[in-house]
Amino acid sequence: MYLLLENNRAIACYTKALEFRNGKTFRRVTEQGYTEVPCRTSKQGRRPDVAYLTPELVAQFGNVPTLPQSFPLIAEIVSPTDLAEELFLKAQEYLQSGCEEVWLVFPESWLVFVMTDNQVCGFKAGDVVGTQKVLLGFSVAVDELLG
């Protein structure tokens, strides 16, 4: 897992879901992009795999140990032992708590689902996945994301 900077904005990207493939966890923090930082949802505390925090929220909350709401853009890397129903419920929980966009990344099957409050878009190998509401204009080929 790594963070890219494009036009001075942090973008979350992944390389083969390194957490479960080789047991390593990469924690890198840039000005606006975070990995494994806790936030609060309407139900509980959560720790998204990757999250994006807008400059406005950085100014509003500063360096708090736990963000009191969901991040605007969250990505979850799906491991082979995760249950799909639980992941989609988690994404809905994020969306009901201030998140605008959730990416569910399935590296074993080369699928990415992008969820917003009113749509779910699916992308497969050969497709180009792009943001729907947050960081508009960012896109990456699924093959590059997971390859």
Side-chain angles (χ1 to χ4, degrees):
M1 181 178 345
Y2 63 95
L3 296 173
L4 273 199
L5 285 176
E6 181 176 287
N7 299 327
N8 294 323
R9 300 173 103 173
I11 314 281
C13 292
Y14 319 90
T15 55
K16 294 191 178 189
L18 293 170
E19 284 90 20
F20 74 87
R21 287 208 177 186
N22 64 20
K24 294 181 181 175
T25 299
F26 292 75
R27 295 177 191 229
R28 295 184 186 176
V29 179
T30 68
E31 211 173 301
Q32 300 166 338
Y34 302 88
T35 61
E36 299 189 15
V37 176
C39 68
R40 291 275 327 148
T41 68
S42 57
K43 296 182 179 182
Q44 62 191 311
R46 291 274 189 193
R47 188 176 297 270
D49 292 329
V50 178
Y52 171 77
L53 190 58
T54 64
E56 296 80 18
L57 287 175
V58 170
Q60 180 180 353
F61 295 112
N63 191 18
V64 295
T66 301
L67 188 68
Q69 66 181 56
S70 289
F71 290 90
L73 174 62
I74 288 173
E76 291 287 348
I77 311 287
V78 181
S79 73
T81 58
D82 288 332
L83 298 176
E85 184 71 16
E86 290 176 4
L87 289 164
F88 282 98
L89 289 171
K90 182 193 282 188
Q92 289 173 349
E93 184 181 323
Y94 284 135
L95 292 168
Q96 293 165 355
S97 303
C99 183
E100 297 178 56
E101 185 170 334
V102 178
W103 287 34
L104 298 177
V105 180
F106 291 77
E108 292 293 321
S109 55
W110 291 63
L111 295 171
V112 178
F113 291 95
V114 178
M115 298 178 63
T116 67
D117 59 344
N118 62 358
Q119 68 179 352
V120 177
C121 300
F123 301 88
K124 64 186 181 330
D127 291 344
V128 175
V129 60
T131 51
Q132 305 298 305
K133 288 190 165 189
V134 180
L135 296 172
L136 290 175
F138 173 74
S139 63
V140 63
V142 171
D143 297 342
E144 181 182 345
L145 185 71
L146 299 173

